[in-house]
Amino acid sequence: MNGRKSACPALSGRAGRDMNVKRTVLLMAGALALACGPAGADRVLLAPAGQVLSPGSLRWETAVRGSDSGNNIQWLQAGLPGLELEVVRDDRPGRGADWTAGAQVAIFPGTASLPALSAGVRDIADQTRFGRAYYIVAGAPMPVAVPPFSSTRLNAGLGADGIKGAFGSVEMDGPSRLRVLAEFDSRRLNFGLELPVASFLKLRASLLGGDAFYGVNLTFGGTSSAAPDLGLDFEF
C-alpha cells in the first residue's frame, strides 16, 4: 500500500525462485499430459523414475533399518491406466507412525528412441520433514550395454519443495539377475542391490543416507517389464 519493500530481500528472492521452479515443473507436466500410457516402475531408491507401475499392478513393500528393527517403513502402491497411487506408513521408535500419500502420472510411456516421461507429487498432505514434493522425470535405457552389465537405464528429473532441484539415477542389470542401483536424490547419494527370487518377489539391500536397510518387494498383476519394481520412499 505504501510502497514498502520486503524486510528480508534474500528470503523474498528465494521464495520467488522456488515458486518459479514449481511453476516450471507443473507447466511442463500439464503441457505434455496428452499422451498418457502404461509403463513399468515408478522409482529407483528415493529418486523418482520415468515410468509408473503397469495398469492392474499391486505392490506391497517393506524395509527395515539394519541397526534398529523398530525403524521400518511399509507402503502400498496401485497401478491404474497412466497413473500410480501410493500410501506410505513410516514407523519410528518413540513416535507414532506417519501416513502419507502420493501420485504419479505417466505423461509418455517411452519408445525405442524417446524416453519415458512422468510427473508426480509426494506427501500430498504436507506432513513429513521435507514436505510436499513436486517433480517431473524422464527415463530411458542406454543403447549400448557396458560389460559386465547386460543393460543400463538412466533417469533424470527436476523437483520442487520436498525434492530440491535436480536428481538422477542409474539402474544396471548384472550377472545372476542382480540389479545394481545408484542415485542422487537431490540431497545425497544412495546405493542399492536387488535380487529377484520369484516372478513376484524381490529382495533388496540399500544404503540410504549412510544407513543400511533390508527389505522385500511383492508385486502382483499388471504386465511384466524389464524395468525394476524397486522403490523406497524414506523421509529422514
Side-chain angles (χ1 to χ4, degrees):
M1 297 292 294
N2 297 321
R4 291 182 299 174
K5 295 184 179 180
S6 170
C8 187
L11 290 178
S12 177
R14 185 189 312 164
R17 288 192 296 272
D18 289 346
M19 182 61 68
N20 288 336
V21 172
K22 184 189 299 184
R23 187 180 298 114
T24 299
V25 172
L26 294 177
L27 287 176
M28 290 173 67
L32 293 167
L34 300 177
C36 292
D42 69 329
R43 67 183 69 228
V44 183
L45 291 169
L46 302 182
Q51 294 180 303
V52 301
L53 282 177
S54 299
S57 295
L58 184 66
R59 182 171 69 190
W60 176 81
E61 299 184 54
T62 186
V64 178
R65 187 174 181 179
S67 60
D68 185 357
S69 60
N71 188 338
N72 62 82
I73 187 168
Q74 302 175 37
W75 57 102
L76 183 67
Q77 297 160 316
L80 302 174
L83 175 67
E84 179 180 321
L85 302 177
E86 176 183 69
V87 176
V88 182
R89 183 180 188 274
D90 189 354
D91 196 2
R92 307 289 179 94
R95 74 177 196 193
D98 290 333
W99 292 83
T100 61
Q104 185 170 351
V105 176
I107 296 172
F108 183 69
T111 67
S113 57
L114 295 174
L117 185 68
S118 65
V121 56
R122 292 180 176 178
D123 186 16
I124 294 174
D126 196 22
Q127 296 177 324
T128 60
R129 174 184 173 186
F130 296 133
R132 186 183 298 113
Y134 306 90
Y135 61 88
I136 187 166
V137 57
M142 291 184 62
V144 179
V146 180
F149 301 104
S150 59
S151 66
T152 300
R153 184 176 184 85
L154 301 177
N155 299 282
L158 179 67
D161 289 354
I163 299 178
K164 292 291 186 182
F167 59 88
S169 60
V170 57
E171 312 165 54
M172 299 175 288
D173 291 316
S176 302
R177 300 188 301 170
L178 185 67
R179 184 175 287 264
V180 179
L181 308 163
E183 68 175 24
F184 175 67
D185 65 7
S186 82
R187 289 182 172 86
R188 63 205 160 187
L189 294 172
N190 303 308
F191 304 92
L193 296 174
E194 179 186 64
L195 180 64
V197 295
S199 61
F200 61 90
L201 174 62
K202 298 176 183 178
L203 306 179
R204 67 173 58 89
S206 306
L207 188 64
L208 307 174
D211 295 319
F213 286 82
Y214 306 93
V216 298
N217 174 320
L218 294 171
T219 304
F220 302 96
T223 58
S224 61
S225 172
D229 286 330
L230 176 64
L232 303 176
D233 194 9
F234 295 98
E235 295 289 348
F236 294 97

